[in-house]
C-alpha cells in the first residue's frame, strides 16, 4: 500500500513539475510554495492574509536559497503583502501597510536624509521647508479657518492635594467640540505648561493618565489633555468610526494647537518660557507634530512612539500625507525640528521603538550636534518593557520635566493624586 501511495505522490509531483513551463508562467499555488519555503528554511508562517486560490507566476524562481527575507520580498510584493519577523523561526505575513517599514528601511532613510545637510545652515533650510510643507499637507490652516472657536465652557474648579482639575470644552467646528481637562498647580507664581495629547489606550480618564498629569501639576506645572477625535465625549458627537479617518489627523492636531494658544493667551499663571508637549504612542505622534507646528514649544517628550520605520498605524496619525513633505521624511526628522530645545525620547524593547538607541538616537544627536547641544536630546530606553505608559516611563517623564522646567521633586508622589470617575472629567454642556 505504501508503495502505491509513493507512486501516486511521485506522479502528482511529476505532473506539477511538467506543468511549470514558460507557457504556463511556471505558476504554482502560493500556499504550496510557502510550505516549501517553510521546509527549506526551517521556519513557520503566521498568516493575516488569505492564500486560498492565489496563484503565483514564476513561483520557484522567486526563491533565493541564500536568503529567506529576499525570498519573502519576492513573493509578498506580488500580492501587496509584507512580512514581519516575529522570532528566528516565525514570520508573520500581513497586508502591505504604508506607514510601517522594516528597521533596515528606516536606517536607510535616515542615512539618505543625513546626506541632505552637513551643517546648521543647511539643516535649518530643510527644517523651514518641513514646517511649511507639513502644515500645508496636513491642511491645518484651512481647517482652522473653518473653526468657529466658540467661547470655552469651563467647569467648576475641583481642589485636590496640591492641584486642581477643571474640564474645558471648546467648539471647534459647528457641533464638534474639543473636550479636555486642565490639571493645575495650586502653588503661587508662574507655572510650566504641558499639553498632553492622548494615545490609543482606554480613554484619557484612565488611572495612569490622571496619575501622570496630577503628579506633574503637584510639582508645579499646568497640564491639559484632550479626547481623541471619535473617542470619549467626542465619540458621542461624531461616532467611533470617525476616529479612523483622515479628518481625525487634522482635528487632533488642531486640538493641541488651539489648546496651546488658548492657555498662553488667557491664563495668567503660565510661564511662556516653559511650554512642553508630552504624549505616548499615538499621543507621541501628536507630540512631535505640535512641536513642529508651533515654535512656542520649548520642550518635547514623545513616549513609546518615535521610529524611523513607523509613522503611526492609525489614520489619526498618518491620515494626511505629511510624510511626503520636502520630498519624503520620517518621524525622527520631524522630531529633530525641536533642535536645540530639550527633547526626551522614551523607548522600550517590546515595540517598534526597540531600535531607538542604535538607529534613531545617533541621527538626532547629529542634528543637535549642529548646535553643540547633543546633551539636549535624551533617551530613556527600557529594553525589558513593552508598549505602555507604565511607572518607569512616567518616572522618565517626571525626571525630564523636573530638570528642564525646574519642577519641585519633593512633590513627586503619585499616591497623592485623586483618581476620579470618568464622568468627573467630562464637560456637561447640553
Amino acid at each position: 500500500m505504501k508503495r502505491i501511495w509513493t507512486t501516486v505522490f511521485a506522479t502528482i509531483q511529476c505532473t506539477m513539475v511538467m506543468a511549470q513551463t514558460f507557457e504556463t508562467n511556471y505558476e504554482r499555488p502560493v500556499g504550496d510554495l510557502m510550505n516549501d519555503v517553510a521546509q527549506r528554511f526551517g521556519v513557520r508562517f503566521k498568516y493575516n492574509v488569505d492564500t486560498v486560490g492565489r496563484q503565483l507566476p514564476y513561483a520557484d524562481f522567486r526563491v533565493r536559497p541564500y536568503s529567506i527575507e529576499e525570498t519573502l520580498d519576492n513573493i509578498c510584493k506580488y500580492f501587496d503583502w509584507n512580512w514581519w519577523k516575529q522570532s528566528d523561526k516565525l514570520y508573520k505575513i500581513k497586508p502591505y501597510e504604508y506607514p510601517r517599514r522594516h528597521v533596515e528601511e528606516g536606517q536607510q532613510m535616515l542615512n539618505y536624509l543625513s546626506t541632505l545637510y552637513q551643517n546648521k545652515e543647511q539643516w535649518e533650510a530643510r527644517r523651514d521647508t518641513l514646517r511649511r510643507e507639513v502644515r500645508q499637507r496636513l491642511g491645518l490652516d484651512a481647517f482652522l479657518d473653518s473653526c468657529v472657536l466658540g467661547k470655552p465652557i469651563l467647569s467648576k474648579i475641583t481642589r485636590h492635594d496640591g492641584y486642581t482639575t477643571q474640564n474645558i470644552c471648546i467648539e471647534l467646528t459647528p457641533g464638534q467640540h474639543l473636550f479636555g481637562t486642565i490639571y493645575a498647580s495650586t502653588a503661587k507664581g508662574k507655572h510650566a505648561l504641558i499639553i498632553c495629547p492622548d494615545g490609543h489606550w482606554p480613554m484619557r480618564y484612565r488611572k495612569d493618565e490622571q496619575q501622570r498629569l496630577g503628579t506633574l501639576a503637584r510639582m508645579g506645572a499646568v497640564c491639559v489633555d484632550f479626547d481623541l477625535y471619535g473617542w470619549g465625549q467626542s465619540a458621542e458627537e461624531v461616532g467611533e468610526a470617525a476616529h479612523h479617518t483622515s479628518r481625525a489627523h487634522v482635528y487632533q492636531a488642531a486640538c493641541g494647537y488651539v489648546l496651546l494658544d488658548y492657555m498662553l493667551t488667557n491664563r495668567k499663571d503660565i510661564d511662556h518660557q516653559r511650554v512642553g508637549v508630552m504624549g505616548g504612542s499615538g499621543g507621541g505622534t501628536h507630540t512631535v507634530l505640535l512641536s513642529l507646528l508651533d515654535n512656542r514649544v520649548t520642550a518635547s517628550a514623545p513616549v513609546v512612539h518615535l521610529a524611523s520605520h513607523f509613522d503611526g498605524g492609525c489614520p489619526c496619525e498618518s491620515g494626511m500625507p505629511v510624510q511626503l513633505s520636502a520630498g519624503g521624511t520620517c518621524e525622527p526628522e520631524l522630531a529633530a525640528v525641536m533642535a536645540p530645545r530639550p527633547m526626551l525620547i522614551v523607548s522600550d524593547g517590546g515595540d517598534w521603538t526597540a531600535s531607538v538607541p542604535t538607529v534613531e538616537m545617533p541621527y538626532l544627536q547629529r542634528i543637535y550636534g549642529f548646535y553643540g547641544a547633543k546633551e539636549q536630546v535624551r533617551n530613556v530606553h527600557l529594553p525589558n518593557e513593552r508598549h505602555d505608559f507604565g511607572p518607569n516611563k512616567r518616572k522618565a517623564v517626571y525626571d525630564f520635566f523636573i530638570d528642564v522646567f525646574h519642577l519641585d521633586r519633593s512633590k513627586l508622589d503619585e499616591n497623592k493624586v485623586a483618581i476620579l470617575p470618568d464622568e468627573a472629567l467630562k464637560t456637561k454642556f447640553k
Side-chain angles (χ1 to χ4, degrees):
M1 186 68 177
K2 181 177 180 181
R3 179 175 297 176
I4 294 173
W5 277 111
T6 302
T7 303
V8 171
F9 181 69
T11 302
I12 293 172
Q13 278 195 313
C14 182
T15 302
M16 182 179 67
V17 171
M18 290 177 61
Q20 291 184 47
T21 65
F22 172 77
E23 287 75 14
T24 61
N25 294 331
Y26 301 104
E27 189 175 76
R28 285 184 63 187
V30 67
D32 290 352
L33 178 65
M34 294 298 284
N35 289 338
D36 286 355
V37 170
Q39 185 175 3
R40 176 191 285 267
F41 290 100
V43 299
R44 295 183 298 113
F45 295 117
K46 181 179 179 180
Y47 295 94
N48 283 10
V49 297
D50 186 3
T51 63
V52 175
R54 298 290 189 114
Q55 296 290 123
L56 183 64
Y58 310 102
D60 291 287
F61 292 94
R62 298 174 187 269
V63 175
R64 299 291 179 265
Y66 51 83
S67 172
I68 183 173
E69 293 179 355
E70 284 191 39
T71 297
L72 293 178
D73 276 344
N74 292 339
I75 295 169
C76 289
K77 287 178 180 178
Y78 182 83
F79 298 107
D80 209 24
W81 299 340
N82 210 338
W83 57 267
W84 300 98
K85 188 173 183 178
Q86 307 295 292
S87 67
D88 287 342
K89 297 296 183 181
L90 177 64
Y91 287 79
K92 182 181 289 187
I93 309 299
K94 299 175 63 177
Y96 174 78
E97 300 170 272
Y98 71 93
R100 190 188 299 268
R101 300 166 293 280
H102 294 111
V103 174
E104 294 77 12
E105 294 176 89
Q107 181 68 76
Q108 290 171 1
M109 184 63 169
L110 294 180
N111 291 344
Y112 160 72
L113 292 173
S114 294
T115 68
L116 303 181
Y117 26 81
Q118 304 304 317
N119 52 53
K120 184 176 76 170
E121 291 71 28
Q122 291 176 349
W123 158 247
E124 289 186 346
R126 170 81 175 177
R127 177 200 66 190
D128 294 345
T129 300
L130 286 168
R131 276 184 171 150
R132 182 178 64 254
E133 290 198 18
V134 166
R135 196 177 184 99
Q136 290 171 348
R137 289 180 180 275
L138 185 63
L140 181 63
D141 291 313
F143 183 86
L144 292 174
D145 287 343
S146 73
C147 288
V148 295
L149 294 182
K151 182 179 179 180
I153 300 170
L154 295 167
S155 72
K156 291 182 180 180
I157 295 174
T158 303
R159 298 187 68 85
H160 310 284
D161 185 343
Y163 73 103
T164 64
T165 54
Q166 183 180 34
N167 300 327
I168 182 170
C169 171
I170 303 174
E171 188 173 21
L172 288 193
T173 57
Q176 296 183 12
H177 296 75
L178 176 165
F179 298 98
T181 301
I182 302 168
Y183 296 70
S185 172
T186 56
K188 294 181 179 179
K190 298 281 189 176
H191 306 298
L193 171 66
I194 306 175
I195 304 296
C196 304
D198 202 15
H200 293 98
W201 291 300
M203 308 303 173
R204 64 180 177 85
Y205 324 115
R206 65 187 185 278
K207 179 179 179 179
D208 72 87
E209 185 153 334
Q210 293 191 52
Q211 287 176 313
R212 176 165 41 99
L213 274 59
T215 299
L216 286 164
R218 293 187 75 253
M219 292 192 292
V222 175
C223 299
V224 195
D225 65 1
F226 56 92
D227 282 340
L228 300 175
Y229 186 67
W231 283 46
Q233 282 192 272
S234 175
E236 297 172 14
E237 293 186 331
V238 300
E240 294 180 0
H243 181 71
H244 302 283
T245 65
S246 57
R247 180 177 174 81
H249 195 182
V250 63
Y251 198 98
Q252 288 173 208
C255 283
Y257 192 86
V258 167
L259 271 178
L260 176 58
D261 195 65
Y262 170 81
M263 296 295 288
L264 292 178
T265 303
N266 294 279
R267 298 271 304 209
K268 304 302 182 183
D269 59 343
I270 302 299
D271 179 356
H272 290 219
Q273 304 306 309
R274 293 185 293 160
V275 179
V277 187
M278 172 262 296
S281 192
T285 304
H286 281 275
T287 295
V288 170
L289 192 54
L290 183 56
S291 301
L292 178 146
L293 292 170
D294 199 316
N295 59 15
R296 292 175 295 183
V297 174
T298 63
S300 176
V303 176
V304 293
H305 158 67
L306 197 74
S308 54
H309 46 93
F310 189 44
D311 307 328
C314 179
C316 84
E317 303 172 72
S318 51
M320 302 297 282
V322 298
Q323 305 294 337
L324 302 180
S325 300
T329 184
C330 62
E331 286 294 284
E333 188 180 43
L334 299 181
V337 170
M338 273 295 294
R341 294 164 291 170
M343 178 165 59
L344 168 70
I345 301 154
V346 182
S347 54
D348 61 64
D351 62 19
W352 55 87
T353 64
S355 62
V356 166
T358 57
V359 177
E360 286 77 17
M361 272 301 288
Y363 166 81
L364 288 167
Q365 287 175 325
R366 178 174 181 264
I367 302 300
Y368 273 75
F370 292 154
Y371 299 88
K374 285 186 178 181
E375 74 285 353
Q376 292 289 71
V377 58
R378 315 172 191 188
N379 174 219
V380 172
H381 186 66
L382 303 165
N384 298 319
E385 296 198 9
R386 300 187 66 80
H387 191 75
D388 61 19
F389 217 134
N392 289 328
K393 298 180 178 76
R394 298 197 298 274
K395 180 181 183 302
V397 166
Y398 299 151
D399 289 344
F400 175 69
F401 285 115
I402 287 170
D403 181 29
V404 301
F405 285 167
H406 312 296
L407 302 183
D408 184 355
R409 183 179 290 276
S410 70
K411 301 292 186 182
L412 201 174
D413 186 350
E414 290 188 339
N415 293 321
K416 297 291 187 180
V417 176
I419 306 304
L420 304 177
D422 293 2
E423 292 303 315
L425 299 175
K426 294 181 179 181
T427 298
K428 298 174 179 60
F429 68 102
K430 293 182 180 180

